[in-house]
Amino acid sequence: MTAAAASSRDDRSSGRERRERPSTFALILNNRLAAAGLVVLCLIVIAALAAPILPLADPNATDPASRLAPLLSPGHLLGTDALGRDMLSRLVWGTRVSLVVGVSASLIAAIFGSAIGLVAGYAGGRTDQMLMRLIDLTMAFPYILLALAIVAILGPGLINALYAIAIVNVPFFARNIRGITVGLARREFVDAARLSGKGPLTILWSDILPNVLPTIVITLSTTVGWMILETAGLSFLGLGAQPPQADLGSMLGDGRKVMFTAPTISLVPGLMIFLIVMSINLIGDGIRDALDPRLRSGALARPAFRTKVAKGRRKADTDGEQEPLPADAGGVGLDPLPAGEGGNRYPPLPCRASPPQGGRSPSVGLSERSISPLEGEMPAGRGGFQGRDGDDVASDRNDNPVLAVRGLETDFHIGRSVYHASNGVDLTIRRGECLCLVGESGSGKSVTAMSVMGLVPSPPGVIAGGRIGFKGEDLADAPDRRIRELRGGAVSHVFQDPLATLHPLFAVGDQIVEAIRAHQPLGKRAAEAKARDLLDLVRIPNAAQRMKALPHELSGGLRQRVSIAMALANDPELIIADEPTTALDVTVQAEVLRLLDTLRRERDTAVLFITHDFGVVSEIADRVAVMYAGRIVETGETAEILTRPAHPYTRMLIDCVPVMGEPERRLDAVPGRPPAVNRLPPGCAFADRCPRVQPDCREGEIPLETKRGSLEARCLHPLGPGEALAGGADPLEARP
Amino acid sequence: MTPPSNVIEIRDLARTFGGGRTILGTKKPQLTAVRGVSLDLRKGETLGIVGESGCGKSTLARMLVGLDRPTSGAIRLDGKDLSSSGTRALARRVQYVFQDPVSSLNPRQTIRDILEAPMRHLLGLGSKERKERLEKLIEDVNLRPEFLDRYPHEFSGGQAQRIGIARALAAEPDVVVLDEPVSALDVSVQAQVLNLLDRLKRERGLTYVFISHDLAVVESVATRVAVMYFGEIVETAPARELFRAPLHPYTNLLIRSAPVPNRKRQKASGDSGELPDPYDPPPGCPFAPRCPRAEDNCRAAMPALEAKDRGKDHRAACFHPLSRR
Ligand SMILES: Nc1ncnc2c1ncn2[C@@H]1O[C@H](COP(=O)(O)OP(=O)(O)O)[C@@H](O)[C@H]1O
Ligand code: SF4
Ligand code: SF4
Ligand SMILES: [Mg+2]
């Protein structure tokens, strides 16, 4: 059974992935500071625990004869205090007391605080209001005052100090935990638990608490240190440990009286407090970093302004041959020609209306640095594009691609594995043309599209090879300044979630004005007028008024129109739209698609449109490129690819979705899952899921070749025109 | 009175959010998400509910399973009103499958914990019985028994949704409410889940309420369809009938807006796609501002959901319904 086969494959991969991800403990140890803190703390704790069996003097035995002995005096390694008590012994016993009190106070605070937070967060409504107002009230006092007040009521003493510190810290836990719980309580799995018949207490205990526990641990580990410090503070003031009992705070207090004659007496406990708090905080930070899922996935650093381009990236798509980039660019790239092209130096990136030559195209030089940043937006660079006959291209721009991506390789380096998210992709889009990129999620559509403007987050993303030709200029080589100028200028983006590009706190009108003025020397008035025109253009009713609206005040459809308006603000030559209508309702989607279609035709804009919906494809695309596991597996003209695809994957992708007007059609799911792009099998990446697979499919590299008509496919056994896959009738041909 | 074939009868169901007053005495804005829905669910059918986001589909679904309480109206299960008795009473008979399969599974529980909960809390089964049923259940949804001891993050979207379906079925319900069960899934696995749902329905004699904004999906699974607009049902009909010849202009707009591979759509008249302001609902037909057939009387009074000229099963809330093409 296919499902079983697929799942067995899944097992193996998920098992391996689990092993690749480091464990929490390993992560903590990996953090050097945290590991150092752990060592120090362990030593201290062991000493404190072993106090009764260590050969120590009685910590409370006074000996006025040898009072204030200096460090390293015989019998008293750390000297003695004003009453002649052995400092070393007092330090070890005092540390023991301080640790016990601090840790117990933290645990008490954690338990009560978390309980309050959980109940308030889950119950919501009035219970939440009451509990949190109470918590706010206690937080309104400076905590030391509150602790003093509590001790004043309960009376001095170590246990009372412990309660005071615990009570003072309860709000801290309560607020933190409540915040998390409120978020969790609205999660669907809590609804699922309710539907499983669980009561509120069961849900809190078995569903919410386990998810809150990491936060509790983080909060605890980052506060224990402070609580020890606070306990020491109270003892220092004489409200905690009562003489003769030693804890670090009271030792410090004793030392204060003889600070000038014998500074070591206060120095020794002071140093110990420092060591404890410091080591605990280092460990706490380590734990926090290790448990925080965002940090865990390796996204520690803020992403760079643009995707890192690997030094010496591969520039030809001939099987990953290394081709060092000439360090100083006057010349033309030293591109090896693919075998069979006979040393015949062809003009650079294809510019004729013929379909792109895909993987076999002679990707000879985009002239490196033919445009200096200062020259700005020159249409086609010197020595950039040439027509087939070697004419100067500027006169013949319509035939030139706006975007010509060649052999693009974008990798993600995660841990020790390298994911080839984009694995030698060629894309060509001419003026006024719309190319749709389709494929399953994770096939690399977004990464490919984002690589164009260097929007793939780095780390972990790296452009490891290929050229990104934008009107003759290789954007992978362009300086940051040039990229900044192009982004939102000649090249603009529309994303699935318009909120990703719109700032939540500024009126949409102002944001468009800002976008305009960032790229055009316009006054505020003129820019405002232009912004209004843009909103009219995208048919936002009542544009003048909507200018003042905040993004969240608009519906999803309107918001997406605003981001389209923003994308159009600087008359882009290329719009990159990543699933711009996926989150929209059908009626709105229809509107937005029509809008984009009209606008790109009127303005002759090139569009790279990502979608997974073949209905949308036939609505808007001139040409289609189907992506699978980081590669283009088929490309061709829309009508042809939709009715008579050559690649089995394209056929299956089309057949697996229901289509309006054909309710009786059998739906054949694509069995299994795509391969992980860090362990691609040799040969065809689709082989494991392909019904037409033959032994030769799993052997060598399969090129993207012309099959018939406008279709190019990466397949050794392509489908004939209108041929169905074994097992299913060809639905399109069979339609009555 | 109740015809035995109705599993669930919904009568004048409404749900209002917000409202009331703040501490300072000012009125809080009030929004009616579901405004007077009456609907029968017949045994063994798949009732598709379609409509744009924000039209009240999910609120209706959540009330059906007791995750939300109606402000007014009744939900009768086999003739007994259960609308205000909460989740537990309904969960035994009516279960729910969530849109986002991953977020509906507790990340810190094993699949076994998740699937056992309904058996323990709703059916009160002992551990031996649970174990037996569990293995059967997990195989029923095409997953292997060793998956039971894994955690949700180890599963793909399609697998996670099959677990979500298994959780819903663990309580042995009669009715399953599926709220956009395949919308969050990759297109390549949607068919797996749809085919699975179809088989389970046949094997277990289930009744489905299938909510989706994807008309093609609804058309392929539903036997009857209800179209919702602005908190109301504006048309119900047997699925084939509805998609072939809708009565309501809104249904017609929806059908014409759905993109279909290889069919360039005829240009629709510039529809803004905007719902009326729910805080300030217009009088009369809420679709009137977008409706090409609207006339004066549409803005004056709300049309009732009633049978037109297509038999008693095809009903629409419209003064000027479309004629059969
Ligand atoms: N920031 C990132 N860090 C690590 N891996 C990533 C990141 N973004 C994308 N990927 C990986 O790259 C591959 C392609 O992803 P993507 O381009 O988003 O696919 P698509 O857009 O086709 O759904 C996937 O395997 C994905 O997990
Ligand atoms: S190359 Fe072979 S395995 Fe790959 S898609 Fe073609 S027939 Fe299938
Ligand atoms: S009642 Fe009038 S406005 Fe409403 S849908 Fe019918 S024709 Fe249109
Ligand atoms: Mg994507």
Side-chain angles (χ1 to χ4, degrees):
Chain A
M1 166 157 225
T2 43
S7 36
S8 72
R9 215 173 10 252
D10 298 345
D11 301 350
R12 263 178 279 134
S13 61
S14 61
R16 213 167 308 165
E17 266 152 36
R18 234 175 313 151
R19 246 166 286 136
E20 275 164 20
R21 199 179 289 172
S23 76
T24 306
F25 193 66
L27 273 173
I28 296 175
L29 285 188
N30 220 358
N31 181 337
R32 272 203 211 130
L33 287 174
L38 198 64
V39 169
V40 172
L41 189 70
C42 278
L43 289 178
I44 294 172
V45 168
I46 289 170
L49 285 178
I53 55 167
L54 287 180
L56 291 171
D58 178 355
N60 297 332
T62 56
D63 180 8
S66 57
R67 62 190 292 270
L68 294 181
L71 292 182
L72 303 177
S73 23
H76 303 292
L77 204 57
L78 292 181
T80 56
D81 69 1
L83 297 176
R85 295 175 292 198
D86 181 51
M87 279 299 285
L88 179 63
S89 170
R90 281 184 77 73
L91 183 72
V92 174
W93 283 98
T95 303
R96 188 178 155 100
V97 170
S98 286
L99 281 176
V100 167
V101 172
V103 170
S104 326
S106 309
L107 286 177
I108 293 174
I111 289 169
F112 284 93
S114 305
I116 293 175
L118 279 169
V119 170
Y122 183 68
R126 220 156 267 162
T127 318
D128 181 29
Q129 290 253 329
M130 252 169 48
L131 283 172
M132 290 333 282
R133 289 301 83 77
L134 219 69
I135 293 293
D136 286 347
L137 213 65
T138 43
M139 278 190 111
F141 289 101
Y143 76 82
I144 195 76
L145 253 182
L146 191 64
L148 283 175
I150 295 171
V151 172
I153 296 168
L154 299 176
L158 204 50
I159 297 295
N160 292 346
L162 188 159
Y163 290 147
I165 298 296
I167 292 171
V168 166
N169 282 287
V170 159
F172 188 66
F173 281 90
R175 296 194 75 139
N176 260 348
I177 303 309
R178 175 191 170 268
I180 307 277
T181 310
V182 167
L184 285 170
R186 290 206 200 105
R187 290 276 296 275
E188 290 181 339
F189 69 77
V190 172
D191 282 342
R194 289 171 62 196
L195 288 168
S196 302
K198 294 185 183 176
L201 283 180
T202 321
I203 291 178
L204 267 182
W205 178 257
S206 71
D207 292 79
I208 296 189
L209 183 63
N211 286 288
V212 178
L213 215 52
T215 315
I216 298 179
V217 170
I218 292 171
T219 318
L220 195 61
S221 63
T222 45
T223 46
V224 172
W226 302 119
M227 297 219 211
I228 290 176
L229 207 59
E230 285 162 14
T231 330
L234 284 184
S235 289
F236 178 80
L237 295 173
L239 299 169
Q242 296 302 305
Q245 192 182 27
D247 83 338
L248 293 174
S250 61
M251 285 177 72
L252 210 55
D254 291 345
R256 186 191 51 164
K257 295 167 202 151
V258 286
M259 182 108 108
F260 298 105
T261 44
T264 51
I265 294 179
S266 37
L267 216 59
V268 166
L271 210 64
M272 183 53 97
I273 293 176
F274 168 78
L275 280 178
I276 293 175
V277 174
M278 189 73 187
S279 61
I280 289 180
N281 285 352
L282 285 178
I283 299 168
D285 287 351
I287 292 178
R288 188 195 55 208
D289 291 357
L291 286 182
D292 192 322
R294 273 165 307 165
L295 302 171
R296 197 171 183 150
S297 63
L300 249 173
R302 205 173 63 115
F305 160 73
R306 73 191 269 205
T307 313
K308 194 172 144 213
V309 178
K311 288 227 177 63
R313 74 185 203 274
R314 295 177 286 278
K315 294 243 195 113
D317 18 353
T318 44
D319 302 338
E321 218 166 280
Q322 284 290 126
E323 191 60 34
L325 178 72
D328 122 7
V332 181
L334 309 163
D335 299 282
L337 285 165
E341 293 286 348
N344 168 11
R345 285 231 158 200
Y346 254 72
L349 307 160
C351 19
R352 283 286 149 187
S354 63
Q357 286 302 298
R360 299 174 308 133
S361 71
S363 56
V364 186
L366 261 176
S367 59
E368 323 292 349
R369 315 251 165 173
S370 61
I371 293 174
S372 84
L374 295 175
E375 278 167 303
E377 221 176 85
M378 228 169 92
R382 267 177 281 129
F385 288 112
Q386 294 177 318
R388 199 164 35 193
D389 311 317
D391 296 343
D392 188 352
V393 212
S395 59
D396 191 14
R397 272 178 60 184
N398 271 347
D399 266 36
N400 284 338
V402 174
L403 182 72
V405 173
R406 289 295 169 270
L408 174 71
E409 294 173 34
T410 305
D411 294 343
F412 288 102
H413 292 260
I414 292 165
R416 247 163 285 140
S417 29
V418 180
Y419 293 81
H420 305 290
S422 201
N423 193 359
V425 170
D426 295 348
L427 294 175
T428 308
I429 311 179
R430 293 176 184 76
R431 301 190 63 186
E433 186 182 45
C434 174
L435 173 74
C436 263
L437 202 52
V438 297
E440 279 167 277
S441 62
S443 57
K445 308 183 294 289
S446 301
V447 169
T448 302
M450 293 206 293
S451 299
V452 171
M453 275 288 114
L455 289 176
V456 177
S458 264
V462 179
I463 293 179
R467 301 156 189 284
I468 302 163
F470 178 69
K471 294 169 50 192
E473 180 184 6
D474 189 349
L475 294 183
D477 283 335
D480 284 1
R481 187 163 23 149
R482 176 74 180 133
I483 297 291
R484 194 168 283 134
E485 181 185 293
L486 286 175
R487 277 190 196 166
V491 180
S492 58
H493 289 85
V494 183
F495 295 103
Q496 176 173 344
D497 178 11
L499 292 178
T501 34
L502 295 174
H503 194 290
L505 298 180
F506 290 99
V508 294
D510 294 346
Q511 299 192 48
I512 301 177
V513 166
E514 201 175 309
I516 295 173
R517 294 187 66 190
H519 292 272
Q520 297 174 42
L522 284 183
K524 198 162 163 36
R525 277 283 158 72
E528 265 170 17
K530 178 151 192 201
R532 219 167 17 248
D533 290 347
L534 282 166
L535 290 182
D536 276 334
L537 185 72
V538 296
R539 279 182 250 141
I540 288 186
N542 206 350
Q545 232 182 9
R546 298 289 167 111
M547 292 272 288
K548 291 187 218 99
L550 294 175
H552 71 93
E553 292 167 345
L554 301 175
S555 69
L558 283 184
R559 248 183 254 149
Q560 195 56 293
R561 281 177 223 211
V562 169
S563 48
I564 292 177
M566 206 135 127
L568 293 171
N570 299 301
D571 303 309
E573 288 168 75
L574 172 66
I575 297 179
I576 298 176
D578 192 345
E579 309 240 7
T581 61
T582 304
L584 303 178
D585 285 309
V586 274
T587 55
V588 187
Q589 163 169 295
E591 254 313 278
V592 170
L593 286 178
R594 197 172 306 130
L595 182 70
L596 260 175
D597 199 43
T598 327
L599 291 173
R600 67 127 171 153
R601 284 174 202 283
E602 279 168 6
R603 300 172 163 228
D604 230 5
T605 315
V607 179
L608 174 58
F609 193 103
I610 299 179
T611 178
H612 58 257
D613 184 338
F614 282 101
V616 171
V617 169
S618 58
E619 203 79 19
I620 190 160
D622 297 318
R623 281 189 306 118
V624 181
V626 181
M627 242 184 130
Y628 185 74
R631 308 191 126 177
I632 307 280
V633 294
E634 178 158 22
T635 152
E637 274 158 23
T638 306
E640 202 165 359
I641 224 171
L642 286 183
T643 47
R644 299 180 291 278
H647 200 285
Y649 177 62
T650 314
R651 174 86 272 168
M652 293 179 88
L653 209 51
I654 294 172
D655 288 353
C656 71
V657 280
V659 166
M660 283 279 286
E662 301 168 20
E664 310 295 352
R665 202 185 72 187
R666 208 181 84 196
L667 300 177
D668 291 308
V670 189
R673 280 208 268 165
V677 286
N678 60 337
R679 295 186 289 273
L680 286 175
C684 178
F686 188 58
D688 282 351
R689 308 168 76 186
C690 181
R692 292 169 75 88
V693 61
Q694 302 287 328
D696 56 344
C697 298
R698 300 182 194 272
E699 276 152 24
E701 194 75 353
I702 298 169
L704 185 67
E705 295 177 315
T706 306
K707 298 297 176 195
R708 55 183 143 80
S710 67
L711 297 182
E712 289 174 63
R714 206 182 277 281
C715 176
L716 296 179
H717 310 285
L719 295 160
E723 188 183 347
L725 285 166
D730 183 355
L732 287 166
E733 300 297 314
R735 199 194 297 163
Chain B
M1 260 309 289
T2 318
S5 62
N6 284 348
V7 201
I8 293 183
E9 289 171 325
I10 303 170
R11 289 292 173 270
D12 302 317
L13 203 65
R15 177 68 169 100
T16 304
F17 293 105
R21 285 170 188 280
T22 62
I23 306 174
L24 298 176
T26 48
K27 266 203 183 136
K28 282 197 230 165
Q30 182 174 335
L31 176 155
T32 307
V34 172
R35 32 185 87 229
V37 165
S38 296
L39 199 62
D40 292 335
L41 187 64
R42 300 171 195 163
K43 189 159 173 42
E45 76 173 345
T46 298
L47 173 68
I49 299 185
V50 297
E52 288 164 294
S53 60
C55 73
K57 302 189 296 290
S58 290
T59 312
L60 177 63
R62 291 172 62 84
M63 289 192 287
L64 274 180
V65 293
L67 283 174
D68 207 343
R69 303 269 173 99
T71 311
S72 65
I75 298 172
R76 290 202 286 269
L77 196 70
D78 291 336
K80 211 168 114 222
D81 186 6
L82 289 174
S83 55
S84 52
S85 40
T87 321
R88 269 187 70 106
L90 279 162
R92 236 331 249 110
R93 305 281 313 279
V94 187
Q95 273 292 340
Y96 191 81
V97 173
F98 294 86
Q99 169 168 3
D100 184 347
V102 178
S103 79
S104 67
L105 302 176
N106 191 332
R108 307 227 165 228
Q109 287 179 347
T110 61
I111 305 310
R112 183 184 302 279
D113 295 336
I114 292 171
L115 296 185
E116 268 192 338
M119 298 184 181
R120 176 161 34 197
H121 297 277
L122 289 171
L123 303 182
L125 297 180
S127 75
K128 192 161 153 280
E129 228 173 324
R130 289 204 299 262
K131 202 163 149 35
E132 276 165 22
R133 286 206 187 186
L134 217 51
E135 306 215 326
K136 161 118 182 41
L137 183 63
I138 197 93
E139 275 173 14
D140 268 3
V141 296
N142 290 345
L143 295 173
R144 285 180 304 130
E146 50 265 45
F147 285 12
L148 285 172
D149 295 305
R150 306 250 175 97
Y151 287 87
H153 72 89
E154 298 173 39
F155 295 94
S156 68
Q159 290 173 326
Q161 192 58 297
R162 282 184 266 161
I163 296 167
I165 292 168
R167 191 205 55 75
L169 296 181
E172 314 258 310
D174 303 316
V175 179
V176 181
V177 178
L178 304 131
D179 191 357
E180 305 261 9
V182 296
S183 308
L185 303 181
D186 215 324
V187 282
S188 59
V189 294
Q190 284 189 5
Q192 281 173 13
V193 173
L194 290 176
N195 292 342
L196 171 73
L197 285 172
D198 188 45
R199 175 168 59 78
L200 291 170
K201 183 182 166 197
R202 275 183 283 114
E203 286 174 1
R204 299 175 171 238
L206 297 168
T207 304
Y208 284 161
V209 177
F210 192 106
I211 296 174
S212 181
H213 69 272
D214 186 334
L215 277 90
V217 170
V218 169
E219 190 188 17
S220 74
V221 301
T223 50
R224 205 157 61 92
V225 177
V227 182
M228 269 186 99
Y229 184 74
F230 200 59
E232 273 158 292
I233 305 241
V234 295
E235 181 163 9
T236 71
R240 299 288 173 276
E241 171 81 12
L242 183 117
F243 284 98
R244 196 175 337 113
L247 281 171
H248 199 282
Y250 175 64
T251 313
N252 190 43
L253 173 69
L254 276 183
I255 295 174
R256 276 188 301 123
S257 302
V260 178
N262 276 311
R263 206 182 295 159
K264 265 275 187 202
R265 191 178 342 147
Q266 66 266 53
K267 300 262 181 248
S269 56
D271 175 64
S272 67
E274 290 301 297
L275 293 167
D277 181 0
Y279 289 102
D280 182 22
C285 174
F287 189 59
R290 294 166 70 181
C291 183
R293 302 171 71 85
E295 287 175 30
D296 285 348
N297 62 337
C298 302
R299 296 186 184 87
M302 175 65 210
L305 181 65
E306 56 196 11
K308 304 286 174 190
D309 57 350
R310 314 266 176 88
K312 70 176 177 39
D313 265 357
H314 196 161
R315 297 181 299 153
C318 176
F319 292 123
H320 313 286
L322 296 154
S323 52
R324 205 187 281 272
R325 271 167 293 183

